[in-house]
Amino acid sequence: MYLSTEILLNLFNRTFPGLYYGNTSIGLYLGLVDHKAVSPIIKQEVEGLKGISKELSIKDGVIGVVPVIDMLAKIRMGQSLNALFEEVDSVVFKKAGYSPCDLDIQQATSLSLYLAYRLSKTNVSPLYKSIWTSVLCSVTETILMSIPTIRLEDYKFSLNYPPAFYLLCFLLCLKSGLDKNIFSKKFNAVLPYVVEYFPRSQANKLYYYLVLSRVRDELHLESAELNDHINLLGSCISVNDIQEELKNNVYVGDGMCGLYLLCNYLDAEPQILSQLSNFVSERLKTSAEIQRLHDNPKYLANHIGFWDGVGGILLTSLLIRLNNIRNGIIK
């Protein structure tokens, strides 16, 4: 889809920071495509942090915004926003530093994503590294122990599909430096529940297949039970059925853009990624939802974010284009 820089800047300037529903994803997109826009965007996002939630939520809180603008600063300016992270760390410590085991699953998953980024992508003092590693161990255990309690029938795709989303958070925590020997044992304790889940949605099936495969690889697990379940999931995946399932949903949160981002990050088979790339590219040209976003300014203004808005769509389109250039498909 195409929206002019003028329209995007207007949307960005009229709204507050927020990863899922705010202007942060539009700011990231603008910064990636226009180097001159980076400094004003980062400045505005940092100033806007004063007016948004300090709760432990990646959806609309500071812990969802700061890693994104840090990512932009590193890509475009070659530097990390360490001072800003230190301010956010103080807020996070007050809420979770003393009793991380008391967090609910929504807070635990949000905090796990923030701390995984913090420990793996930024400079952390030895003291804070020790503190955050300890906190992350606690919230990671909370996430794993929540797997047996999931009671959900899935009828449509969602990035929040609990069995897959919890394990995606777990995978990111492992990659941030947690002791894999310890967490291999903890994962094995919930493995009987992990292999019980068999998603009805074809897209969720692919999601679960990919994240389970990557967890197995990360922990170097040799479990016949796990391997059999992964192979069963893989044998039942149909990209054609996935396309049929998602043909009318273009967004990230529960649509085709989100599945493409997952497949790209989780290293899906090249054939699957290629088919999804072509499918998403075509649907973003012809979808009635895209036309509605183009034609209705009020509707567009209510759909600016990463989760269910143009921010997520534009970032996905940019990634597809970069992958096509990298693969020699376009110049």
Side-chain angles (χ1 to χ4, degrees):
M1 75 178 295
Y2 173 77
L3 291 171
S4 70
T5 301
E6 181 181 359
I7 290 174
L8 292 174
L9 280 172
N10 185 46
L11 291 170
F12 178 78
N13 290 329
R14 289 167 51 193
T15 49
F16 286 97
L19 177 56
Y20 277 28
Y21 309 112
N23 67 12
T24 302
S25 57
I26 288 181
L28 176 60
Y29 174 79
L30 288 169
L32 291 174
V33 299
D34 182 3
H35 188 276
K36 295 179 182 178
V38 174
S39 292
I41 284 169
I42 290 177
K43 180 180 179 181
Q44 187 167 328
E45 286 289 282
V46 171
E47 291 176 350
L49 291 176
K50 301 172 184 176
I52 68 172
S53 172
K54 303 302 186 292
E55 296 302 316
L56 299 179
S57 168
I58 62 165
K59 294 180 181 180
D60 52 15
V62 294
I63 65 172
V65 174
V66 173
V68 176
I69 56 178
D70 177 73
M71 191 186 310
L72 178 59
K74 284 195 287 193
I75 292 172
R76 282 305 202 178
M77 303 167 67
Q79 61 186 49
S80 186
L81 304 177
N82 292 319
L84 183 60
F85 271 112
E86 290 173 4
E87 292 181 25
V88 178
D89 283 349
S90 298
V91 174
V92 172
F93 185 79
K94 291 176 182 177
K95 294 183 176 296
Y98 295 105
S99 53
C101 295
D102 294 338
L103 301 178
D104 61 34
I105 186 59
Q106 287 77 23
Q107 293 171 320
T109 52
S110 288
L111 185 56
S112 73
L113 295 174
Y114 172 78
L115 292 180
Y117 182 89
R118 187 76 171 98
L119 289 168
S120 62
K121 304 294 184 182
T122 67
N123 295 321
V124 187
S125 69
L127 174 60
Y128 260 119
K129 183 174 183 179
S130 175
I131 292 171
W132 290 145
T133 299
S134 176
V135 172
L136 186 58
C137 284
S138 294
V139 297
T140 303
E141 188 161 358
T142 295
I143 293 168
L144 281 180
M145 293 304 104
S146 296
I147 290 174
T149 69
I150 297 170
R151 297 291 181 268
L152 177 68
E153 293 290 340
D154 73 302
Y155 295 99
K156 68 175 188 176
F157 168 70
S158 173
L159 290 187
N160 278 337
Y161 172 58
F165 178 58
Y166 292 177
L167 289 180
L168 178 62
C169 293
F170 177 56
L171 177 64
L172 292 169
C173 293
L174 292 174
K175 288 179 175 291
S176 71
L178 296 188
D179 189 312
K180 294 177 184 177
N181 289 326
I182 291 175
F183 278 96
S184 177
K185 296 175 182 177
K186 293 180 183 296
F187 177 77
N188 282 329
V190 299
L191 182 57
Y193 301 95
V194 168
V195 297
E196 283 186 356
Y197 297 114
F198 196 84
R200 297 175 183 231
S201 155
Q202 276 284 325
N204 279 340
K205 198 170 286 154
L206 176 57
Y207 182 8
Y208 199 45
Y209 163 76
L210 288 172
V211 75
L212 264 183
S213 299
R214 300 302 162 255
V215 167
R216 176 190 60 187
D217 296 345
E218 192 70 21
L219 290 175
H220 305 292
L221 296 174
E222 296 181 0
S223 164
E225 186 180 21
L226 179 58
N227 288 338
D228 288 346
H229 195 62
I230 290 172
N231 291 336
L232 179 61
L233 287 166
S235 69
C236 296
I237 291 167
S238 165
V239 176
N240 289 335
D241 288 346
I242 289 172
Q243 292 174 353
E244 181 64 25
E245 178 184 338
L246 299 182
K247 65 181 181 181
N248 294 318
N249 196 323
V250 296
Y251 295 114
V252 166
D254 56 2
M256 62 184 73
C257 284
L259 186 62
Y260 179 82
L261 294 176
L262 278 172
C263 287
N264 182 80
Y265 176 72
L266 295 172
D267 296 323
E269 289 85 345
Q271 184 178 359
I272 290 178
L273 198 58
S274 176
Q275 287 179 271
L276 285 177
S277 174
N278 294 334
F279 168 65
V280 173
S281 297
E282 184 60 31
R283 290 301 295 157
L284 292 185
K285 296 175 185 175
T286 61
S287 166
E289 184 69 7
I290 295 296
Q291 195 61 47
R292 189 178 183 187
L293 290 167
H294 275 293
D295 295 344
N296 190 328
K298 290 185 178 179
Y299 189 73
L300 174 63
N302 288 322
H303 292 79
I304 66 166
F306 179 73
W307 191 257
D308 64 350
V310 294
I313 292 172
L314 290 169
L315 288 170
T316 305
S317 297
L318 180 60
L319 178 61
I320 289 174
R321 179 172 175 80
L322 291 173
N323 282 340
N324 286 340
I325 292 172
R326 188 179 298 115
N327 295 327
I329 298 172
I330 61 174
K331 295 182 179 179

